[in-house]
Amino acid sequence: MCDGCIHAARCLIARTQTAWPGEVEARRVTAGQTLLRQGEPVTHVLVVQVGLVTLSRHSDGNPMRAVAIVGPVQALGVRALAGHAPAAVDATALTDARVCQRPVPREGVPPAVLSASLDECTRLAETLSDWAAIGRLPTASERVEAVLRRMAQCTGSVEVPLPERTLLAELAACAPETVSRAVGMLVRQGRLRRGGPRRVQLTAAAPVTARTPPP
């Protein structure tokens, strides 16, 4: 199955199939389905093949909050391979999706798999850092656009699903009532176009990048 996958060259499961023998299970998940739950044991490492997944977490008694949206080739639950069994985030399918999964080895993770998993942990940390940088953009419309452009990068498509207002507000670090105004402003500016139901198309306008605020 991995040999015919278009993501095989970058997929953690495909790249380690020789050192990490065992059955790879591919399964379809529906929008809203939970893949991982923060604090609960991770029994399988997952790799997103199709669709988008929302990552959320809570800390220090704060409520659950979305921190990122990830897409194809993103590995989830990888910390379990390094001995950190509980999930660090909630992972919930934002859209209908397809994931591949493989059980976490019961005894001894092969060195090649451990090395690859550490690389994946680093990549995820960089992804989360990129998402966190969106919150430093000065205006709500810039932050909303940045969220949508990050989603477009994940899918490789200029048309993306428009997240629910509360979710988009969490990712864009603004109030929910501000989201609708920001989307409307981006449409009027020609940076977005309305697509299909609950979808928007991003124009070829230069994407906004995070800027560090002055001291």
Side-chain angles (χ1 to χ4, degrees), residues 54 64-69 94 131 134-135 139-141 143-145 147-148 151 162-183 198:
T54 303
M64 188 68 70
R65 177 180 174 276
V67 294
I69 292 174
L94 176 64
W131 276 93
I134 291 173
T139 69
S141 60
R143 297 195 294 273
V144 168
E145 181 182 0
V147 168
L148 297 173
M151 293 172 61
L162 187 64
E164 293 294 331
R165 190 172 67 164
T166 301
L167 173 58
L168 187 49
E170 291 177 3
L171 292 167
C174 63
E177 56 271 18
T178 304
V179 167
S180 298
R181 293 198 297 270
V183 170
R198 294 292 306 172

PDB file of all heavy atoms in Angstrom, residues 54 64-69 94 131 134-135 139-141 143-145 147-148 151 162-183 198:
ATOM      1  N   THR A  54      -7.696  19.499  12.937  1.00  0.00           N
ATOM      2  CA  THR A  54      -7.475  20.594  13.889  1.00  0.00           C
ATOM      3  C   THR A  54      -6.762  20.063  15.120  1.00  0.00           C
ATOM      4  O   THR A  54      -7.149  19.033  15.682  1.00  0.00           O
ATOM      5  CB  THR A  54      -8.814  21.217  14.318  1.00  0.00           C
ATOM      6  OG1 THR A  54      -9.523  21.662  13.165  1.00  0.00           O
ATOM      7  CG2 THR A  54      -8.584  22.395  15.254  1.00  0.00           C
ATOM      8  N   MET A  64      -9.926  24.362  26.435  1.00  0.00           N
ATOM      9  CA  MET A  64      -9.371  23.847  25.189  1.00  0.00           C
ATOM     10  C   MET A  64      -9.413  24.929  24.121  1.00  0.00           C
ATOM     11  O   MET A  64     -10.405  25.647  23.971  1.00  0.00           O
ATOM     12  CB  MET A  64     -10.178  22.627  24.742  1.00  0.00           C
ATOM     13  CG  MET A  64      -9.592  21.887  23.556  1.00  0.00           C
ATOM     14  SD  MET A  64      -8.023  21.052  23.939  1.00  0.00           S
ATOM     15  CE  MET A  64      -8.589  19.733  25.023  1.00  0.00           C
ATOM     16  N   ARG A  65      -8.333  25.053  23.359  1.00  0.00           N
ATOM     17  CA  ARG A  65      -8.219  26.094  22.335  1.00  0.00           C
ATOM     18  C   ARG A  65      -7.482  25.539  21.126  1.00  0.00           C
ATOM     19  O   ARG A  65      -6.470  24.847  21.262  1.00  0.00           O
ATOM     20  CB  ARG A  65      -7.468  27.299  22.901  1.00  0.00           C
ATOM     21  CG  ARG A  65      -7.213  28.419  21.912  1.00  0.00           C
ATOM     22  CD  ARG A  65      -6.463  29.557  22.576  1.00  0.00           C
ATOM     23  NE  ARG A  65      -6.078  30.586  21.616  1.00  0.00           N
ATOM     24  CZ  ARG A  65      -4.994  30.536  20.870  1.00  0.00           C
ATOM     25  NH1 ARG A  65      -4.151  29.514  20.993  1.00  0.00           N
ATOM     26  NH2 ARG A  65      -4.728  31.513  20.005  1.00  0.00           N
ATOM     27  N   ALA A  66      -7.985  25.828  19.936  1.00  0.00           N
ATOM     28  CA  ALA A  66      -7.330  25.390  18.709  1.00  0.00           C
ATOM     29  C   ALA A  66      -6.001  26.108  18.542  1.00  0.00           C
ATOM     30  O   ALA A  66      -5.908  27.324  18.750  1.00  0.00           O
ATOM     31  CB  ALA A  66      -8.232  25.668  17.507  1.00  0.00           C
ATOM     32  N   VAL A  67      -4.969  25.365  18.165  1.00  0.00           N
ATOM     33  CA  VAL A  67      -3.645  25.962  17.999  1.00  0.00           C
ATOM     34  C   VAL A  67      -3.109  25.809  16.575  1.00  0.00           C
ATOM     35  O   VAL A  67      -2.158  26.487  16.191  1.00  0.00           O
ATOM     36  CB  VAL A  67      -2.626  25.365  18.995  1.00  0.00           C
ATOM     37  CG1 VAL A  67      -2.998  25.740  20.417  1.00  0.00           C
ATOM     38  CG2 VAL A  67      -2.523  23.843  18.852  1.00  0.00           C
ATOM     39  N   ALA A  68      -3.683  24.907  15.778  1.00  0.00           N
ATOM     40  CA  ALA A  68      -3.179  24.700  14.419  1.00  0.00           C
ATOM     41  C   ALA A  68      -4.162  23.848  13.629  1.00  0.00           C
ATOM     42  O   ALA A  68      -4.997  23.138  14.198  1.00  0.00           O
ATOM     43  CB  ALA A  68      -1.806  24.033  14.436  1.00  0.00           C
ATOM     44  N   ILE A  69      -4.037  23.928  12.332  1.00  0.00           N
ATOM     45  CA  ILE A  69      -4.700  23.003  11.411  1.00  0.00           C
ATOM     46  C   ILE A  69      -3.601  22.379  10.564  1.00  0.00           C
ATOM     47  O   ILE A  69      -2.741  23.094  10.020  1.00  0.00           O
ATOM     48  CB  ILE A  69      -5.729  23.719  10.522  1.00  0.00           C
ATOM     49  CG1 ILE A  69      -6.912  24.212  11.367  1.00  0.00           C
ATOM     50  CG2 ILE A  69      -6.231  22.802   9.414  1.00  0.00           C
ATOM     51  CD1 ILE A  69      -7.917  25.053  10.599  1.00  0.00           C
ATOM     52  N   LEU A  94     -11.171  18.135  10.790  1.00  0.00           N
ATOM     53  CA  LEU A  94     -11.904  19.340  10.396  1.00  0.00           C
ATOM     54  C   LEU A  94     -12.782  19.053   9.182  1.00  0.00           C
ATOM     55  O   LEU A  94     -13.881  19.584   9.050  1.00  0.00           O
ATOM     56  CB  LEU A  94     -10.924  20.475  10.075  1.00  0.00           C
ATOM     57  CG  LEU A  94     -11.531  21.781   9.561  1.00  0.00           C
ATOM     58  CD1 LEU A  94     -12.416  22.422  10.624  1.00  0.00           C
ATOM     59  CD2 LEU A  94     -10.440  22.753   9.126  1.00  0.00           C
ATOM     60  N   TRP A 131       2.192  28.714  13.262  1.00  0.00           N
ATOM     61  CA  TRP A 131       0.815  29.070  13.592  1.00  0.00           C
ATOM     62  C   TRP A 131       0.774  30.112  14.706  1.00  0.00           C
ATOM     63  O   TRP A 131      -0.014  31.047  14.671  1.00  0.00           O
ATOM     64  CB  TRP A 131       0.028  27.821  13.992  1.00  0.00           C
ATOM     65  CG  TRP A 131      -0.512  27.079  12.809  1.00  0.00           C
ATOM     66  CD1 TRP A 131       0.077  26.034  12.146  1.00  0.00           C
ATOM     67  CD2 TRP A 131      -1.740  27.339  12.122  1.00  0.00           C
ATOM     68  NE1 TRP A 131      -0.712  25.638  11.091  1.00  0.00           N
ATOM     69  CE2 TRP A 131      -1.830  26.406  11.062  1.00  0.00           C
ATOM     70  CE3 TRP A 131      -2.761  28.254  12.304  1.00  0.00           C
ATOM     71  CZ2 TRP A 131      -2.918  26.382  10.194  1.00  0.00           C
ATOM     72  CZ3 TRP A 131      -3.849  28.231  11.437  1.00  0.00           C
ATOM     73  CH2 TRP A 131      -3.921  27.311  10.398  1.00  0.00           C
ATOM     74  N   ILE A 134       1.100  33.774  13.754  1.00  0.00           N
ATOM     75  CA  ILE A 134      -0.046  34.487  13.189  1.00  0.00           C
ATOM     76  C   ILE A 134      -0.611  35.482  14.197  1.00  0.00           C
ATOM     77  O   ILE A 134      -1.058  36.574  13.833  1.00  0.00           O
ATOM     78  CB  ILE A 134      -1.127  33.471  12.743  1.00  0.00           C
ATOM     79  CG1 ILE A 134      -0.625  32.681  11.532  1.00  0.00           C
ATOM     80  CG2 ILE A 134      -2.452  34.178  12.429  1.00  0.00           C
ATOM     81  CD1 ILE A 134      -1.543  31.553  11.114  1.00  0.00           C
ATOM     82  N   GLY A 135      -0.581  35.105  15.467  1.00  0.00           N
ATOM     83  CA  GLY A 135      -1.119  35.979  16.505  1.00  0.00           C
ATOM     84  C   GLY A 135      -0.378  37.278  16.660  1.00  0.00           C
ATOM     85  O   GLY A 135      -0.873  38.200  17.323  1.00  0.00           O
ATOM     86  N   THR A 139      -3.456  43.189  12.591  1.00  0.00           N
ATOM     87  CA  THR A 139      -4.898  43.364  12.426  1.00  0.00           C
ATOM     88  C   THR A 139      -5.601  42.020  12.314  1.00  0.00           C
ATOM     89  O   THR A 139      -5.009  41.022  11.883  1.00  0.00           O
ATOM     90  CB  THR A 139      -5.218  44.204  11.174  1.00  0.00           C
ATOM     91  OG1 THR A 139      -4.896  43.432   9.995  1.00  0.00           O
ATOM     92  CG2 THR A 139      -4.452  45.509  11.179  1.00  0.00           C
ATOM     93  N   ALA A 140      -6.890  42.024  12.657  1.00  0.00           N
ATOM     94  CA  ALA A 140      -7.682  40.792  12.594  1.00  0.00           C
ATOM     95  C   ALA A 140      -7.783  40.271  11.172  1.00  0.00           C
ATOM     96  O   ALA A 140      -7.714  39.056  10.935  1.00  0.00           O
ATOM     97  CB  ALA A 140      -9.076  41.035  13.175  1.00  0.00           C
ATOM     98  N   SER A 141      -7.942  41.162  10.195  1.00  0.00           N
ATOM     99  CA  SER A 141      -8.066  40.699   8.813  1.00  0.00           C
ATOM    100  C   SER A 141      -6.780  40.040   8.334  1.00  0.00           C
ATOM    101  O   SER A 141      -6.821  39.029   7.624  1.00  0.00           O
ATOM    102  CB  SER A 141      -8.442  41.862   7.881  1.00  0.00           C
ATOM    103  OG  SER A 141      -7.458  42.883   7.907  1.00  0.00           O
ATOM    104  N   ARG A 143      -4.693  38.441  10.272  1.00  0.00           N
ATOM    105  CA  ARG A 143      -4.600  37.154  10.962  1.00  0.00           C
ATOM    106  C   ARG A 143      -5.548  36.125  10.346  1.00  0.00           C
ATOM    107  O   ARG A 143      -5.181  34.961  10.160  1.00  0.00           O
ATOM    108  CB  ARG A 143      -4.866  37.337  12.457  1.00  0.00           C
ATOM    109  CG  ARG A 143      -3.831  38.219  13.153  1.00  0.00           C
ATOM    110  CD  ARG A 143      -3.890  38.115  14.658  1.00  0.00           C
ATOM    111  NE  ARG A 143      -5.123  38.636  15.221  1.00  0.00           N
ATOM    112  CZ  ARG A 143      -5.324  39.906  15.545  1.00  0.00           C
ATOM    113  NH1 ARG A 143      -4.357  40.807  15.329  1.00  0.00           N
ATOM    114  NH2 ARG A 143      -6.464  40.305  16.086  1.00  0.00           N
ATOM    115  N   VAL A 144      -6.769  36.542  10.026  1.00  0.00           N
ATOM    116  CA  VAL A 144      -7.729  35.627   9.398  1.00  0.00           C
ATOM    117  C   VAL A 144      -7.199  35.164   8.044  1.00  0.00           C
ATOM    118  O   VAL A 144      -7.248  33.968   7.714  1.00  0.00           O
ATOM    119  CB  VAL A 144      -9.109  36.302   9.252  1.00  0.00           C
ATOM    120  CG1 VAL A 144     -10.011  35.478   8.341  1.00  0.00           C
ATOM    121  CG2 VAL A 144      -9.749  36.471  10.619  1.00  0.00           C
ATOM    122  N   GLU A 145      -6.677  36.095   7.263  1.00  0.00           N
ATOM    123  CA  GLU A 145      -6.117  35.708   5.962  1.00  0.00           C
ATOM    124  C   GLU A 145      -4.951  34.751   6.125  1.00  0.00           C
ATOM    125  O   GLU A 145      -4.815  33.767   5.377  1.00  0.00           O
ATOM    126  CB  GLU A 145      -5.668  36.943   5.186  1.00  0.00           C
ATOM    127  CG  GLU A 145      -5.106  36.588   3.813  1.00  0.00           C
ATOM    128  CD  GLU A 145      -4.604  37.782   3.029  1.00  0.00           C
ATOM    129  OE1 GLU A 145      -4.680  38.920   3.543  1.00  0.00           O
ATOM    130  OE2 GLU A 145      -4.136  37.585   1.895  1.00  0.00           O
ATOM    131  N   VAL A 147      -4.453  32.586   8.489  1.00  0.00           N
ATOM    132  CA  VAL A 147      -4.977  31.265   8.830  1.00  0.00           C
ATOM    133  C   VAL A 147      -5.427  30.541   7.564  1.00  0.00           C
ATOM    134  O   VAL A 147      -5.081  29.364   7.335  1.00  0.00           O
ATOM    135  CB  VAL A 147      -6.160  31.386   9.817  1.00  0.00           C
ATOM    136  CG1 VAL A 147      -6.898  30.051   9.938  1.00  0.00           C
ATOM    137  CG2 VAL A 147      -5.664  31.829  11.189  1.00  0.00           C
ATOM    138  N   LEU A 148      -6.172  31.218   6.724  1.00  0.00           N
ATOM    139  CA  LEU A 148      -6.692  30.590   5.512  1.00  0.00           C
ATOM    140  C   LEU A 148      -5.567  30.229   4.543  1.00  0.00           C
ATOM    141  O   LEU A 148      -5.614  29.187   3.885  1.00  0.00           O
ATOM    142  CB  LEU A 148      -7.710  31.508   4.849  1.00  0.00           C
ATOM    143  CG  LEU A 148      -8.962  31.799   5.696  1.00  0.00           C
ATOM    144  CD1 LEU A 148      -9.836  32.856   5.010  1.00  0.00           C
ATOM    145  CD2 LEU A 148      -9.759  30.533   5.966  1.00  0.00           C
ATOM    146  N   MET A 151      -3.930  27.096   5.692  1.00  0.00           N
ATOM    147  CA  MET A 151      -4.757  25.954   5.311  1.00  0.00           C
ATOM    148  C   MET A 151      -4.543  25.613   3.837  1.00  0.00           C
ATOM    149  O   MET A 151      -4.468  24.428   3.464  1.00  0.00           O
ATOM    150  CB  MET A 151      -6.227  26.250   5.588  1.00  0.00           C
ATOM    151  CG  MET A 151      -6.562  26.367   7.061  1.00  0.00           C
ATOM    152  SD  MET A 151      -8.267  26.942   7.349  1.00  0.00           S
ATOM    153  CE  MET A 151      -9.212  25.629   6.553  1.00  0.00           C
ATOM    154  N   LEU A 162     -14.154  27.025   4.926  1.00  0.00           N
ATOM    155  CA  LEU A 162     -14.170  28.123   5.889  1.00  0.00           C
ATOM    156  C   LEU A 162     -14.517  27.540   7.247  1.00  0.00           C
ATOM    157  O   LEU A 162     -15.633  27.045   7.452  1.00  0.00           O
ATOM    158  CB  LEU A 162     -15.195  29.175   5.481  1.00  0.00           C
ATOM    159  CG  LEU A 162     -15.230  30.460   6.293  1.00  0.00           C
ATOM    160  CD1 LEU A 162     -13.920  31.224   6.139  1.00  0.00           C
ATOM    161  CD2 LEU A 162     -16.412  31.335   5.870  1.00  0.00           C
ATOM    162  N   PRO A 163     -13.577  27.543   8.204  1.00  0.00           N
ATOM    163  CA  PRO A 163     -13.861  26.963   9.518  1.00  0.00           C
ATOM    164  C   PRO A 163     -15.016  27.678  10.214  1.00  0.00           C
ATOM    165  O   PRO A 163     -15.346  28.828   9.897  1.00  0.00           O
ATOM    166  CB  PRO A 163     -12.542  27.178  10.284  1.00  0.00           C
ATOM    167  CG  PRO A 163     -11.499  27.368   9.237  1.00  0.00           C
ATOM    168  CD  PRO A 163     -12.202  28.058   8.107  1.00  0.00           C
ATOM    169  N   GLU A 164     -15.624  26.988  11.158  1.00  0.00           N
ATOM    170  CA  GLU A 164     -16.654  27.629  11.974  1.00  0.00           C
ATOM    171  C   GLU A 164     -16.073  28.880  12.630  1.00  0.00           C
ATOM    172  O   GLU A 164     -14.880  28.960  12.918  1.00  0.00           O
ATOM    173  CB  GLU A 164     -17.155  26.667  13.046  1.00  0.00           C
ATOM    174  CG  GLU A 164     -17.924  25.470  12.505  1.00  0.00           C
ATOM    175  CD  GLU A 164     -19.234  25.874  11.843  1.00  0.00           C
ATOM    176  OE1 GLU A 164     -19.804  26.913  12.259  1.00  0.00           O
ATOM    177  OE2 GLU A 164     -19.674  25.175  10.916  1.00  0.00           O
ATOM    178  N   ARG A 165     -16.928  29.857  12.865  1.00  0.00           N
ATOM    179  CA  ARG A 165     -16.472  31.167  13.327  1.00  0.00           C
ATOM    180  C   ARG A 165     -15.660  31.078  14.609  1.00  0.00           C
ATOM    181  O   ARG A 165     -14.620  31.737  14.747  1.00  0.00           O
ATOM    182  CB  ARG A 165     -17.679  32.091  13.518  1.00  0.00           C
ATOM    183  CG  ARG A 165     -17.301  33.531  13.757  1.00  0.00           C
ATOM    184  CD  ARG A 165     -18.506  34.434  13.752  1.00  0.00           C
ATOM    185  NE  ARG A 165     -19.382  34.179  14.898  1.00  0.00           N
ATOM    186  CZ  ARG A 165     -20.323  35.018  15.307  1.00  0.00           C
ATOM    187  NH1 ARG A 165     -20.528  36.149  14.654  1.00  0.00           N
ATOM    188  NH2 ARG A 165     -21.081  34.732  16.338  1.00  0.00           N
ATOM    189  N   THR A 166     -16.098  30.245  15.561  1.00  0.00           N
ATOM    190  CA  THR A 166     -15.375  30.149  16.836  1.00  0.00           C
ATOM    191  C   THR A 166     -13.982  29.577  16.630  1.00  0.00           C
ATOM    192  O   THR A 166     -12.999  30.057  17.213  1.00  0.00           O
ATOM    193  CB  THR A 166     -16.165  29.269  17.825  1.00  0.00           C
ATOM    194  OG1 THR A 166     -17.452  29.846  18.039  1.00  0.00           O
ATOM    195  CG2 THR A 166     -15.430  29.167  19.155  1.00  0.00           C
ATOM    196  N   LEU A 167     -13.877  28.544  15.796  1.00  0.00           N
ATOM    197  CA  LEU A 167     -12.577  27.939  15.520  1.00  0.00           C
ATOM    198  C   LEU A 167     -11.659  28.932  14.823  1.00  0.00           C
ATOM    199  O   LEU A 167     -10.488  29.083  15.203  1.00  0.00           O
ATOM    200  CB  LEU A 167     -12.764  26.683  14.665  1.00  0.00           C
ATOM    201  CG  LEU A 167     -11.481  26.021  14.140  1.00  0.00           C
ATOM    202  CD1 LEU A 167     -10.560  25.620  15.295  1.00  0.00           C
ATOM    203  CD2 LEU A 167     -11.816  24.819  13.278  1.00  0.00           C
ATOM    204  N   LEU A 168     -12.162  29.617  13.819  1.00  0.00           N
ATOM    205  CA  LEU A 168     -11.344  30.593  13.104  1.00  0.00           C
ATOM    206  C   LEU A 168     -10.908  31.720  14.037  1.00  0.00           C
ATOM    207  O   LEU A 168      -9.770  32.208  13.951  1.00  0.00           O
ATOM    208  CB  LEU A 168     -12.133  31.150  11.914  1.00  0.00           C
ATOM    209  CG  LEU A 168     -11.402  32.072  10.940  1.00  0.00           C
ATOM    210  CD1 LEU A 168     -10.070  31.488  10.506  1.00  0.00           C
ATOM    211  CD2 LEU A 168     -12.281  32.352   9.728  1.00  0.00           C
ATOM    212  N   ALA A 169     -11.778  32.107  14.964  1.00  0.00           N
ATOM    213  CA  ALA A 169     -11.427  33.157  15.925  1.00  0.00           C
ATOM    214  C   ALA A 169     -10.289  32.702  16.838  1.00  0.00           C
ATOM    215  O   ALA A 169      -9.380  33.486  17.152  1.00  0.00           O
ATOM    216  CB  ALA A 169     -12.653  33.531  16.755  1.00  0.00           C
ATOM    217  N   GLU A 170     -10.318  31.448  17.280  1.00  0.00           N
ATOM    218  CA  GLU A 170      -9.242  30.943  18.135  1.00  0.00           C
ATOM    219  C   GLU A 170      -7.910  30.944  17.396  1.00  0.00           C
ATOM    220  O   GLU A 170      -6.874  31.345  17.935  1.00  0.00           O
ATOM    221  CB  GLU A 170      -9.580  29.534  18.625  1.00  0.00           C
ATOM    222  CG  GLU A 170     -10.734  29.488  19.603  1.00  0.00           C
ATOM    223  CD  GLU A 170     -11.094  28.068  20.018  1.00  0.00           C
ATOM    224  OE1 GLU A 170     -10.400  27.115  19.577  1.00  0.00           O
ATOM    225  OE2 GLU A 170     -12.069  27.901  20.785  1.00  0.00           O
ATOM    226  N   LEU A 171      -7.926  30.502  16.148  1.00  0.00           N
ATOM    227  CA  LEU A 171      -6.689  30.429  15.375  1.00  0.00           C
ATOM    228  C   LEU A 171      -6.169  31.809  14.997  1.00  0.00           C
ATOM    229  O   LEU A 171      -4.957  32.015  14.873  1.00  0.00           O
ATOM    230  CB  LEU A 171      -6.927  29.601  14.113  1.00  0.00           C
ATOM    231  CG  LEU A 171      -7.198  28.114  14.344  1.00  0.00           C
ATOM    232  CD1 LEU A 171      -7.740  27.473  13.069  1.00  0.00           C
ATOM    233  CD2 LEU A 171      -5.937  27.392  14.808  1.00  0.00           C
ATOM    234  N   ALA A 172      -7.091  32.756  14.804  1.00  0.00           N
ATOM    235  CA  ALA A 172      -6.696  34.110  14.395  1.00  0.00           C
ATOM    236  C   ALA A 172      -6.559  35.063  15.574  1.00  0.00           C
ATOM    237  O   ALA A 172      -6.306  36.258  15.375  1.00  0.00           O
ATOM    238  CB  ALA A 172      -7.719  34.667  13.401  1.00  0.00           C
ATOM    239  N   ALA A 173      -6.717  34.551  16.796  1.00  0.00           N
ATOM    240  CA  ALA A 173      -6.552  35.375  18.003  1.00  0.00           C
ATOM    241  C   ALA A 173      -7.409  36.634  17.953  1.00  0.00           C
ATOM    242  O   ALA A 173      -6.912  37.754  18.119  1.00  0.00           O
ATOM    243  CB  ALA A 173      -5.077  35.738  18.203  1.00  0.00           C
ATOM    244  N   CYS A 174      -8.692  36.438  17.690  1.00  0.00           N
ATOM    245  CA  CYS A 174      -9.611  37.568  17.707  1.00  0.00           C
ATOM    246  C   CYS A 174     -10.974  37.100  18.205  1.00  0.00           C
ATOM    247  O   CYS A 174     -11.188  35.908  18.415  1.00  0.00           O
ATOM    248  CB  CYS A 174      -9.727  38.209  16.321  1.00  0.00           C
ATOM    249  SG  CYS A 174     -10.400  37.138  15.053  1.00  0.00           S
ATOM    250  N   ALA A 175     -11.866  38.030  18.420  1.00  0.00           N
ATOM    251  CA  ALA A 175     -13.196  37.688  18.906  1.00  0.00           C
ATOM    252  C   ALA A 175     -14.022  37.075  17.772  1.00  0.00           C
ATOM    253  O   ALA A 175     -13.845  37.445  16.603  1.00  0.00           O
ATOM    254  CB  ALA A 175     -13.893  38.934  19.434  1.00  0.00           C
ATOM    255  N   PRO A 176     -14.941  36.149  18.084  1.00  0.00           N
ATOM    256  CA  PRO A 176     -15.753  35.523  17.030  1.00  0.00           C
ATOM    257  C   PRO A 176     -16.509  36.528  16.174  1.00  0.00           C
ATOM    258  O   PRO A 176     -16.607  36.358  14.947  1.00  0.00           O
ATOM    259  CB  PRO A 176     -16.710  34.620  17.823  1.00  0.00           C
ATOM    260  CG  PRO A 176     -15.966  34.289  19.072  1.00  0.00           C
ATOM    261  CD  PRO A 176     -15.188  35.530  19.403  1.00  0.00           C
ATOM    262  N   GLU A 177     -17.037  37.591  16.803  1.00  0.00           N
ATOM    263  CA  GLU A 177     -17.794  38.562  16.022  1.00  0.00           C
ATOM    264  C   GLU A 177     -16.905  39.335  15.046  1.00  0.00           C
ATOM    265  O   GLU A 177     -17.389  39.933  14.077  1.00  0.00           O
ATOM    266  CB  GLU A 177     -18.539  39.540  16.930  1.00  0.00           C
ATOM    267  CG  GLU A 177     -17.676  40.295  17.910  1.00  0.00           C
ATOM    268  CD  GLU A 177     -17.499  39.559  19.246  1.00  0.00           C
ATOM    269  OE1 GLU A 177     -17.758  38.334  19.290  1.00  0.00           O
ATOM    270  OE2 GLU A 177     -17.118  40.226  20.220  1.00  0.00           O
ATOM    271  N   THR A 178     -15.603  39.333  15.303  1.00  0.00           N
ATOM    272  CA  THR A 178     -14.679  40.030  14.416  1.00  0.00           C
ATOM    273  C   THR A 178     -14.410  39.235  13.145  1.00  0.00           C
ATOM    274  O   THR A 178     -14.074  39.802  12.102  1.00  0.00           O
ATOM    275  CB  THR A 178     -13.344  40.298  15.147  1.00  0.00           C
ATOM    276  OG1 THR A 178     -13.607  41.018  16.357  1.00  0.00           O
ATOM    277  CG2 THR A 178     -12.384  41.106  14.293  1.00  0.00           C
ATOM    278  N   VAL A 179     -14.560  37.910  13.229  1.00  0.00           N
ATOM    279  CA  VAL A 179     -14.221  37.049  12.101  1.00  0.00           C
ATOM    280  C   VAL A 179     -15.060  37.377  10.869  1.00  0.00           C
ATOM    281  O   VAL A 179     -14.532  37.530   9.762  1.00  0.00           O
ATOM    282  CB  VAL A 179     -14.390  35.565  12.490  1.00  0.00           C
ATOM    283  CG1 VAL A 179     -14.351  34.670  11.250  1.00  0.00           C
ATOM    284  CG2 VAL A 179     -13.301  35.151  13.456  1.00  0.00           C
ATOM    285  N   SER A 180     -16.369  37.493  11.058  1.00  0.00           N
ATOM    286  CA  SER A 180     -17.235  37.777   9.911  1.00  0.00           C
ATOM    287  C   SER A 180     -16.860  39.095   9.247  1.00  0.00           C
ATOM    288  O   SER A 180     -16.841  39.207   8.012  1.00  0.00           O
ATOM    289  CB  SER A 180     -18.698  37.794  10.356  1.00  0.00           C
ATOM    290  OG  SER A 180     -19.084  36.536  10.866  1.00  0.00           O
ATOM    291  N   ARG A 181     -16.568  40.114  10.062  1.00  0.00           N
ATOM    292  CA  ARG A 181     -16.178  41.408   9.496  1.00  0.00           C
ATOM    293  C   ARG A 181     -14.865  41.291   8.730  1.00  0.00           C
ATOM    294  O   ARG A 181     -14.700  41.893   7.668  1.00  0.00           O
ATOM    295  CB  ARG A 181     -16.060  42.449  10.607  1.00  0.00           C
ATOM    296  CG  ARG A 181     -17.380  42.809  11.268  1.00  0.00           C
ATOM    297  CD  ARG A 181     -17.280  44.123  12.033  1.00  0.00           C
ATOM    298  NE  ARG A 181     -16.324  44.037  13.132  1.00  0.00           N
ATOM    299  CZ  ARG A 181     -16.645  43.665  14.379  1.00  0.00           C
ATOM    300  NH1 ARG A 181     -17.909  43.339  14.661  1.00  0.00           N
ATOM    301  NH2 ARG A 181     -15.739  43.633  15.330  1.00  0.00           N
ATOM    302  N   ALA A 182     -13.923  40.511   9.289  1.00  0.00           N
ATOM    303  CA  ALA A 182     -12.625  40.351   8.636  1.00  0.00           C
ATOM    304  C   ALA A 182     -12.771  39.629   7.301  1.00  0.00           C
ATOM    305  O   ALA A 182     -12.162  40.029   6.295  1.00  0.00           O
ATOM    306  CB  ALA A 182     -11.669  39.586   9.551  1.00  0.00           C
ATOM    307  N   VAL A 183     -13.586  38.576   7.266  1.00  0.00           N
ATOM    308  CA  VAL A 183     -13.801  37.842   6.015  1.00  0.00           C
ATOM    309  C   VAL A 183     -14.457  38.757   4.991  1.00  0.00           C
ATOM    310  O   VAL A 183     -14.060  38.801   3.814  1.00  0.00           O
ATOM    311  CB  VAL A 183     -14.649  36.576   6.252  1.00  0.00           C
ATOM    312  CG1 VAL A 183     -15.071  35.953   4.921  1.00  0.00           C
ATOM    313  CG2 VAL A 183     -13.876  35.557   7.080  1.00  0.00           C
ATOM    314  N   ARG A 198     -19.715  27.095   2.350  1.00  0.00           N
ATOM    315  CA  ARG A 198     -18.732  27.166   3.445  1.00  0.00           C
ATOM    316  C   ARG A 198     -17.299  27.016   2.938  1.00  0.00           C
ATOM    317  O   ARG A 198     -16.446  26.440   3.600  1.00  0.00           O
ATOM    318  CB  ARG A 198     -19.018  26.096   4.503  1.00  0.00           C
ATOM    319  CG  ARG A 198     -20.308  26.272   5.252  1.00  0.00           C
ATOM    320  CD  ARG A 198     -20.299  27.487   6.148  1.00  0.00           C
ATOM    321  NE  ARG A 198     -19.186  27.515   7.076  1.00  0.00           N
ATOM    322  CZ  ARG A 198     -18.890  28.550   7.858  1.00  0.00           C
ATOM    323  NH1 ARG A 198     -19.597  29.661   7.773  1.00  0.00           N
ATOM    324  NH2 ARG A 198     -17.880  28.499   8.698  1.00  0.00           N
TER     325      ARG A 198
END
